[in-house]
Amino acid sequence: MFKEKEKYMMYDYIIVGQGLAGSCMAMQLLKRNKRVLVIDKPHANSSSMVAAGIFNPITGRKMVKTWLADDLFPYLLKFYGAAEKMLQQNFVNHIKIYRPFISPEEQNEWMGRSTLDPYKSYIENVYHEPQHSETIKEEFRGMELKRSGYVNLPVFVNAEREMLIEQEMYLEENFDESRLLLKTNEVEYKDHKAKRIIFCSGEGITDSEFFGWLPYSMVKGEILEVKVNQSLDVLYNRGVFIVPKGVDKCRVGATYEVNNRTYDITEKAKKALVDKLNGLYHSEYEIIGQVAGIRPATRDRKPFVGVHPEYPQIGVFNGLGAKGVSLAPYFSGQFVSMLEEGEELNKEVDISRYKSLYYDTID
């Protein structure tokens, strides 16, 4: 007798969304020999297709060390390096960041900080003489950061998608949450079954019945594509970033507009970026493009990681914000270790910090 074909395709995990978050989750699970199904419908304005992909150890207007940098940066360098080998693609660009100072006082402050243990492993040099005066304005000199660079996210995401398709672990469609059925210790979606489902769906998560209650703060960002008359060998960052992309092109950004979820490019954003670019860069350039995307950020600027308060077979890995390239490898690894080995999540990212909001919605 012939054995009747099973109705369901079986997986360990279903992952909804294949941007940066979903790609990192899938990679972590595949390293543990788990069978995954990634469900996604790519679109050109997703955050992962638009973002500059910078990893930067010292950030913000006040120039402070990135949160958890000593854990994040060694991890991300190994993770993306291994991903390049697995996917047989080059998408990691190790490039120093040059930050001009805004005053003599800032220069003196960083001369002192650069010798301290928390900072010295990330600072290449603090300069007393101009280093890039032919390109940028650096009246008060600047400092050069190391262990920095950017990930070409479209190359990374597209290469992983091709691998998943080859291994029959990819379903190209818009996920229909109404078709998700919760069973004891598993989930069903159409003709697919898995032990767990993880939502990595970027801004779309706000429409989810299961995780829409989390306090997101979506941020629209616009970036200019610029042609320059020289080859840049560092990433400049002061007010705006200037990221080299090939011999004579770069990306300039980014604007920051809270709770605007339109993908339209605007003259207002273009003017704001041009004004900031002109305040930093004094060589000739030509604007050749402009793009917009929505960052899936959170109100407390910490990612949302963890399992649903009532349904342990449903998880979320989202809200990575502007520092997603730095955060995604480390916390996807930590999340998978929690799911598979029972290790604890960092309490600052665990969604249990907001579980009271969930119970408020069902009272």
Side-chain angles (χ1 to χ4, degrees):
M1 294 180 64
F2 292 101
K3 187 176 180 180
E4 184 178 350
K5 184 177 179 180
E6 290 186 1
K7 177 182 177 182
Y8 293 99
M9 294 291 291
M10 304 299 296
Y11 301 90
D12 295 301
Y13 289 84
I14 295 172
I15 297 173
V16 181
Q18 200 246 326
L20 173 63
S23 294
C24 289
M25 278 297 297
M27 191 69 70
Q28 298 282 14
L29 289 163
L30 290 172
K31 286 196 299 184
R32 287 171 168 80
N33 297 315
K34 300 300 175 182
R35 182 163 171 79
V36 303
L37 174 67
V38 177
I39 304 173
D40 188 51
K41 184 74 170 179
H43 65 97
N45 290 98
S46 70
S47 178
S48 298
M49 293 296 104
V50 173
I54 298 170
F55 52 97
N56 180 1
I58 296 176
T59 60
R61 293 179 183 176
K62 296 182 180 179
M63 294 170 64
V64 296
K65 190 163 80 166
T66 296
W67 174 63
L68 292 182
D70 295 340
D71 295 320
L72 299 179
F73 278 74
Y75 195 100
L76 74 87
L77 294 173
K78 290 180 181 178
F79 176 87
Y80 290 123
E84 284 188 315
K85 290 180 181 178
M86 178 185 287
L87 300 174
Q88 299 183 351
Q89 284 280 359
N90 296 319
F91 44 80
V92 183
N93 298 271
H94 301 279
I95 184 170
K96 292 183 173 63
I97 296 176
Y98 188 75
R99 295 199 61 147
F101 296 125
I102 60 173
S103 67
E105 290 77 18
E106 188 176 61
Q107 182 193 50
N108 291 334
E109 179 185 354
W110 278 99
M111 281 297 297
R113 280 199 208 179
S114 65
T115 64
L116 301 177
D117 285 339
Y119 291 95
K120 64 183 182 182
S121 63
Y122 302 105
I123 298 175
E124 182 71 24
N125 213 332
V126 176
Y127 293 102
H128 291 284
E129 299 297 329
Q131 301 298 306
H132 302 274
S133 56
E134 73 287 354
T135 303
I136 63 166
K137 300 171 184 178
E138 50 171 341
E139 181 182 357
F140 305 108
R141 317 312 182 231
M143 70 175 177
E144 196 170 69
L145 306 177
K146 57 187 177 180
R147 301 172 74 180
S148 57
Y150 68 93
V151 175
N152 190 324
L153 290 175
V155 174
F156 171 44
V157 171
N158 290 335
E160 184 164 334
R161 181 180 298 119
E162 289 177 10
M163 179 193 70
L164 291 167
I165 291 170
E166 272 186 26
Q167 297 183 14
E168 298 183 342
M169 294 185 181
Y170 186 81
L171 181 61
E172 184 172 326
E173 67 177 46
N174 290 314
F175 181 75
D176 182 357
E177 194 170 287
S178 68
R179 301 288 300 274
L180 179 66
L181 300 177
L182 305 184
K183 303 289 186 179
T184 304
N185 299 321
E186 65 180 14
V187 298
E188 294 179 10
Y189 178 72
K190 297 184 178 179
D191 57 351
H192 309 284
K193 274 188 178 183
K195 291 189 304 181
R196 288 192 173 95
I197 185 168
I198 310 296
F199 285 82
C200 306
S201 42
E203 63 159 328
I205 196 71
T206 57
D207 299 321
S208 170
E209 171 191 348
F210 300 105
F211 295 109
W213 50 273
L214 287 166
Y216 293 90
S217 180
M218 299 298 170
V219 177
K220 179 180 180 179
E222 297 188 48
I223 291 176
L224 300 179
E225 308 282 349
V226 174
K227 184 174 182 179
V228 294
N229 61 1
Q230 59 191 302
S231 179
L232 306 181
D233 58 0
V234 298
L235 191 163
Y236 298 110
N237 188 8
R238 189 85 226 194
V240 289
F241 57 71
I242 304 174
V243 181
K245 301 286 283 188
V247 175
D248 61 351
K249 293 182 179 64
C250 60
R251 307 188 79 201
V252 175
T255 58
Y256 188 95
E257 191 174 356
V258 178
N259 294 327
N260 181 340
R261 296 178 66 176
T262 67
Y263 292 112
D264 300 329
I265 59 173
T266 64
E267 283 298 317
K268 178 182 175 183
K270 180 179 179 179
K271 182 181 184 306
L273 291 172
V274 167
D275 288 346
K276 290 181 178 180
L277 177 59
N278 290 341
L280 174 62
Y281 187 80
H282 62 56
S283 296
E284 293 182 2
Y285 65 86
E286 175 190 357
I287 297 171
I288 58 175
Q290 184 174 348
V291 292
I294 311 298
R295 305 183 191 100
T298 68
R299 289 184 194 170
D300 65 2
R301 300 192 178 186
K302 299 293 191 298
F304 289 149
V305 187
V307 297
H308 191 276
E310 285 194 85
Y311 310 114
Q313 67 270 54
I314 306 178
V316 63
F317 183 62
N318 214 320
L320 298 173
K323 295 188 174 106
V325 164
S326 303
L327 297 169
Y330 181 80
F331 284 113
S332 61
Q334 194 177 89
F335 191 21
V336 171
S337 292
M338 186 209 83
L339 296 170
E340 290 295 314
E341 288 95 44
E343 295 186 11
E344 286 191 11
L345 278 176
N346 182 307
K347 295 189 186 318
E348 291 187 82
V349 305
D350 192 333
I351 61 167
S352 64
R353 70 193 191 273
Y354 286 118
K355 64 183 177 182
S356 64
L357 297 181
Y358 172 72
Y359 291 110
D360 286 346
T361 66
I362 60 176
D363 284 346

